[in-house]
């Protein structure tokens, strides 16, 4: 067979990979007799497409993919392959669906133009280490195939779950991940609560206790005292020493440690203390890496305060869990620097959802539109942990579509996803199913968990209104029965991958029901903690099934009755401050 892909672009790892991917998949889909009649051209153009957008034109015997950025060509390759019937919905090549065809299915003069509205569409995978290397590589491959172009990672974030699910250990496997990221054009952000790596409290506290936080009148080996100039200078020097010879990452997070324990000394009471310390650090990093964007984390009341002085021109801000006035004002502060990014916890973060991520396309739509309106540069979404792939993949499918079409109709998106999940025979049933789950079963007024409820809904497990609980439970059970019946009908005749997806959706719906009855309706005035056991037992059962895509029983148990037991009344109102 003749060479079918012509590359009119700079010779690079990204363009070579784009050509190789297109060739490989086309050869899997079509016989040589079809491909011999076609020529495929990848070309870089100087302008006309936003960010890493692409345009595909089929003029009969020539199919041209154009982009202004090299990774836009790769995204164009995957966009074309999807139009040819490929599915990259879930991570892992074994979960891809690649059709075989004897004729070229696109009409002459077919044209597809897709341009993202946000420059950076990011993911932060948890549970990435040498033990999960294969799954991490699958995740990186899946990112590129779905238009995500930004990976947040950590040089050495240790686990705090007892089951490994919160590890991010770039230092264990970065030499393997780096070329895979580079040939996909994925931007790397070296970030994610790794202060201890650069500023190790185990050694520094003995010599310099004054460099650390004053808590209840005592210096403790935890957070940095950000008003101590010597401490800030030492931290800045360590960051600069690490970054100076590593041009392969373009963003660097200079975050505090996770959680609380911030310094209570007089000077640290100034709400701008951490930001001003970060300005000092940004200046130091600029002296060794002028190309590096330094990331301030607006995460807690100590770092939410919008600065009254201009942001350094090499600094961006990552704003956490806020789609309100605070998020808007941060975008204005960062407008003349390196911009604002949003840290999304509500799409694939099992920790935030207390082990039970929900399907929430309307949240995805609202968030994308809000951030575009505010002028944000990008989003980083927590995918936590990496191996719980079924529901997050569906949420990220909606999110990836909305990055390119923020005004897309949710029902139409349901239809497109249903076709990919369940096939033509069950597309209509799938639309009904997705609407029942996302529009009625997961009514935010119904749910009592912090991550499910509206901001104005005060979570509580004592003094419950039991009559209302019973009414909501009856409504929930009626909807669940409809969903189970619909899935049962689909299950009777679906086959292959479509049947597997029906079964996974049935497992998901059952988990939602168990979580609702066992966790969300927990009544601390009358229920023992064993009320949660059926939920844990179902997760344990699913772990024994082939290719289980859900959270582990160990993680769910750690999250619900472990670390900060949510069945204790004193632990149920841990709302993050607004400002």
């Amino acid at each position: 067979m003749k060479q079918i892909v012509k590359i009119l672009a700079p010779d690079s790892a990204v363009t070579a990979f784009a050509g190789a991917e297109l060739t490989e998949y086309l050869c899997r889909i079509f016989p040589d007799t079809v491909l011999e009649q076609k020529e495929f051209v990848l070309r870089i153009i100087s302008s006309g497409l936003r960010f890493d957008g692409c345009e595909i034109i089929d003029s009969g015997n020539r199919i041209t993919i154009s982009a202004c950025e090299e990774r836009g060509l790769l995204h164009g390759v995957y966009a074309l392959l999807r139009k040819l019937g490929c599915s990259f919905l879930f991570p892992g090549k074994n979960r891809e669906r690649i059709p075989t065809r004897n004729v070229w299915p696109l009409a002459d003069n077919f044209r597809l133009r897709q341009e993202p509205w946000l420059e950076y569409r990011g993911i932060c995978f948890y549970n990435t280490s040498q033990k999960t290397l294969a799954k991490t590589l699958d995740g990186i491959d899946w990112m590129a195939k779905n238009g995500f172009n930004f990976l947040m990672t950590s040089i050495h974030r240790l686990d705090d779950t007892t089951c490994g699910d919160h590890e991010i250990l770039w230092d264990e496997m970065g030499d393997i991940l780096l070329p895979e990221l580079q040939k996909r054009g994925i931007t790397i952000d070296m970030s994610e609560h790794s202060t201890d790596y650069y500023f190790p409290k185990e050694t520094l506290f003995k010599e310099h206790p004054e460099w650390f936080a004053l808590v209840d009148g005592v210096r403790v080996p935890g957070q940095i005292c950000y008003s101590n100039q010597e401490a800030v200078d030492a931290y800045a020097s360590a960051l600069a020493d690490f970054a100076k010879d590593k041009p392969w990452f373009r963003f660097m997070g200079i975050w505090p440690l996770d959680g609380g324990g911030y310094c209570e000394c007089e000077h640290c009471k100034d709400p701008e203390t951490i930001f001003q310390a970060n300005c000092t650090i940004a200046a130091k990093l600029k002296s060794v890496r002028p190309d590096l964007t330094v990331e301030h984390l607006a995460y807690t009341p100590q770092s939410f305060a919008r600065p009254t002085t201009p942001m350094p021109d090499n600094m961006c801000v990552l704003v956490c869990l806020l789609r309100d006035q605070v998020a808007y004002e941060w975008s204005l502060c960062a407008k003349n620097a390196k911009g604002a990014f949003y840290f999304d916890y509500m799409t694939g973060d099992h920790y935030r959802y207390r082990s039970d991520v929900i399907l929430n396309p309307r949240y995805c739509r609202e968030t994308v539109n809000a951030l575009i309106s505010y002028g944000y540069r990008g989003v980083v979404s927590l995918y936590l942990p990496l191996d719980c792939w079924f529901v997050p993949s569906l949420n990220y499918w909606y999110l990836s579509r909305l990055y390119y079409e923020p005004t897309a109709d949710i029902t139409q998106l349901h239809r497109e996803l249903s076709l990919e999940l369940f096939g033509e025979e069950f597309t209509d049933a799938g639309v009904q199913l997705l609407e029942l789950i996302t529009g009625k079963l997961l009514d935010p007024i119904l749910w009592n968990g912090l991550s499910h409820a509206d901001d104005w809904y005060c979570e509580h497990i004592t003094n419950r209104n039991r009559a209302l609980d019973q009414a909501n439970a009856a409504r929930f059970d009626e909807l669940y029965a409809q969903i189970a019946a619909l899935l049962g009908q689909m299950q009777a005749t679906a086959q292959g991958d479509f049947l597997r997806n029906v079964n996974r959706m049935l497992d998901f719906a059952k988990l939602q029901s168990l979580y609702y009855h066992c966790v969300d309706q927990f009544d601390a005035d009358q229920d023992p903690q064993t009320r949660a056991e059926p939920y844990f037992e179902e997760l344990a059962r699913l772990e024994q099934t082939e290719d289980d895509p859900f959270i582990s029983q160990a993680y769910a148990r750690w999250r619900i009755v472990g670390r900060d037991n949510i069945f204790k009344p004193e632990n149920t109102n841990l709302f993050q401050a607004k400002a």
Side-chain angles (χ1 to χ4, degrees):
M1 187 182 71
K2 67 174 184 176
Q3 177 64 39
I4 59 171
V5 178
K6 181 184 294 186
I7 301 177
L8 305 179
D11 184 17
S12 71
V14 178
T15 56
F17 184 66
E21 285 285 270
L22 182 56
T23 301
E24 177 188 340
Y25 281 97
L26 287 174
C27 290
R28 291 174 63 185
I29 297 168
F30 297 101
D32 290 351
T33 52
V34 172
L35 296 180
E36 285 168 357
Q37 303 171 31
K38 302 288 182 181
E39 182 181 38
F40 298 86
V41 177
L42 308 182
R43 65 172 190 151
I44 291 289
I45 56 177
S46 60
S47 62
L49 290 165
R50 187 169 51 239
F51 303 133
D52 49 2
C54 62
E55 184 174 54
I56 302 169
I57 298 176
D58 184 343
S59 55
N61 61 352
R62 171 177 286 197
I63 296 88
T64 303
I65 301 175
S66 303
C68 297
E69 296 185 21
E70 291 179 359
R71 67 178 167 218
L73 293 179
L74 183 60
H75 295 164
V77 164
Y78 296 133
L80 174 62
L81 293 173
R82 275 190 290 273
K83 286 296 179 183
L84 297 176
C86 296
S87 173
F88 307 116
L89 186 57
F90 303 121
K93 290 185 181 295
N94 59 315
R95 301 188 190 109
E96 295 177 355
R97 193 165 64 249
I98 312 301
T100 55
R101 296 184 180 279
N102 292 316
V103 296
W104 185 256
L106 303 182
D108 289 354
N109 300 315
F110 169 84
R111 187 181 188 123
L112 174 67
R113 185 184 183 96
Q114 59 176 40
E115 300 174 274
W117 285 73
L118 290 167
E119 182 179 2
Y120 289 111
R121 291 91 57 199
I123 299 287
C124 179
F125 293 119
Y126 271 46
N127 195 10
T128 57
S129 67
Q130 193 66 41
K131 297 190 297 290
T132 60
L133 178 60
K135 293 178 181 179
T136 304
L137 291 169
D138 284 346
I140 288 169
D141 184 57
W142 166 87
M143 282 179 65
K145 285 172 174 168
N146 288 277
F148 294 95
N149 62 7
F150 189 97
L151 178 72
M152 176 182 285
T153 187
S154 173
I155 186 64
H156 193 79
R157 180 195 169 102
L158 295 174
D159 180 57
D160 60 351
T161 69
T162 73
C163 45
D165 285 349
H166 285 184
E167 286 180 333
I168 309 177
L169 304 179
W170 178 275
D171 53 340
E172 278 195 3
M173 55 180 178
D175 56 339
I176 299 172
L177 300 186
L178 182 58
E180 298 302 319
L181 291 160
Q182 289 176 325
K183 71 186 183 184
R184 292 169 173 83
I186 294 175
T187 298
I188 300 171
D189 179 7
M190 189 60 66
S191 194
E192 237 302 332
H193 294 304
S194 49
T195 310
D196 277 345
Y197 184 84
Y198 310 103
F199 198 82
K201 56 180 179 282
E202 292 80 6
T203 56
L204 291 177
F205 184 74
K206 295 175 184 177
E207 188 174 351
H208 297 287
E210 73 280 6
W211 286 7
F212 291 86
L214 184 73
V215 179
D216 294 330
V218 179
R219 296 285 175 180
V220 296
Q223 301 283 9
I224 297 173
C225 175
Y226 281 92
S227 64
N228 186 302
Q229 192 59 49
E230 287 186 351
V232 171
D233 288 343
Y235 185 35
S237 294
L239 289 164
D241 285 346
F242 178 82
K244 63 185 179 184
D245 60 350
K246 299 177 180 64
W248 42 266
F249 65 83
R250 290 174 46 200
F251 288 74
M252 189 173 197
I254 53 173
W255 305 5
L257 295 172
D258 203 2
Y262 289 89
C263 187
E264 299 168 357
C265 77
E266 192 61 33
H267 294 295
C268 282
K269 291 178 181 177
D270 183 337
E272 287 194 40
T273 294
I274 293 179
F275 176 78
Q276 293 302 330
N278 284 346
C279 290
T280 298
I281 296 168
K284 181 71 173 180
L285 284 164
K286 189 174 185 178
S287 70
V288 299
R289 284 284 308 277
D291 62 311
L292 186 65
T293 296
V294 181
E295 183 180 82
H296 169 75
L297 180 69
Y299 182 51
T300 64
Q302 293 83 0
S303 54
F304 277 150
R306 278 70 73 204
T308 53
T309 55
M311 285 183 67
D313 61 6
N314 66 328
M315 185 183 284
C316 70
V317 62
L318 180 66
V319 183
C320 296
L321 202 62
L322 296 166
R323 294 178 293 157
D324 58 10
Q325 193 74 15
V326 174
Y328 172 68
E329 290 174 1
W330 264 116
S331 72
L332 298 181
C333 293
K335 186 176 182 180
N336 295 317
K338 292 298 184 181
F341 292 71
Y342 183 68
F343 207 14
D344 162 47
Y345 295 81
M346 312 302 284
T347 307
D349 181 355
H350 286 77
Y351 178 85
R352 179 65 56 175
Y353 273 109
R354 292 174 174 162
S355 85
D356 194 56
V357 166
I358 66 172
L359 268 177
N360 204 346
R362 286 170 177 82
Y363 161 81
C364 295
R365 189 179 190 276
E366 291 167 5
T367 299
V368 170
N369 276 271
L371 297 178
I372 294 170
S373 174
Y374 292 174
Y376 270 55
R377 197 175 174 193
V379 175
V380 181
S381 182
L382 274 174
Y383 191 141
L384 186 174
L386 171 67
D387 51 356
C388 304
W389 51 267
F390 181 61
V391 180
S393 292
L394 304 185
N395 278 333
Y396 287 121
W397 182 91
Y398 287 110
L399 193 61
S400 65
R401 285 299 312 275
L402 290 160
Y403 283 147
Y404 291 88
E405 298 179 51
T407 62
D409 176 72
I410 293 297
T411 301
Q412 180 57 35
L413 292 181
H414 287 335
R415 179 163 295 280
E416 294 174 24
L417 179 59
S418 178
L419 178 62
E420 196 162 347
L421 274 174
F422 307 122
E424 291 184 10
E425 181 182 357
F426 298 109
T427 297
D428 290 341
V431 172
Q432 183 184 354
L433 172 71
L434 291 169
E435 190 53 49
L436 282 171
I437 290 174
T438 66
K440 294 185 177 180
L441 187 72
L442 303 181
D443 179 350
I445 297 174
L446 176 67
W447 293 83
N448 296 322
L450 169 61
S451 56
H452 305 297
D454 289 318
D455 291 340
W456 44 262
Y457 190 95
C458 182
E459 179 189 20
H460 60 286
I461 61 171
T462 60
N463 304 306
R464 293 185 68 96
N465 186 317
R466 291 171 188 161
L468 181 60
D469 281 349
Q470 291 176 2
N472 274 327
R475 174 186 177 276
F476 182 97
D477 289 341
E478 181 181 349
L479 287 166
Y480 174 68
Q482 292 180 45
I483 290 166
L486 188 58
L487 284 164
Q489 293 169 15
M490 298 165 69
Q491 197 177 37
T493 55
Q495 297 179 357
D497 286 341
F498 299 138
L499 176 58
R500 280 186 282 274
N501 290 335
V502 169
N503 290 336
R504 288 166 185 153
M505 195 64 78
L506 194 58
D507 289 334
F508 165 68
K510 184 176 181 180
L511 286 173
Q512 293 295 302
S513 178
L514 286 168
Y515 190 91
Y516 175 69
H517 285 290
C518 298
V519 180
D520 270 347
Q521 285 225 332
F522 182 81
D523 186 337
D525 296 321
Q526 66 177 12
D527 290 332
Q529 291 187 11
T530 53
R531 178 166 179 167
E533 287 303 315
Y535 174 64
F536 299 143
E537 290 167 4
E538 179 63 11
L539 288 171
R541 184 191 71 80
L542 289 169
E543 285 185 75
Q544 305 307 311
T545 61
E546 184 181 1
D547 204 18
D548 171 40
F550 301 105
I551 198 74
S552 71
Q553 179 266 153
Y555 185 91
R557 192 177 293 278
W558 170 84
R559 183 65 187 94
I560 292 169
V561 296
R563 174 178 171 170
D564 55 358
N565 191 334
I566 65 173
F567 290 160
K568 290 184 177 180
E570 64 268 27
N571 289 338
T572 58
N573 288 313
L574 303 177
F575 288 94
Q576 190 175 37
K578 286 282 182 165

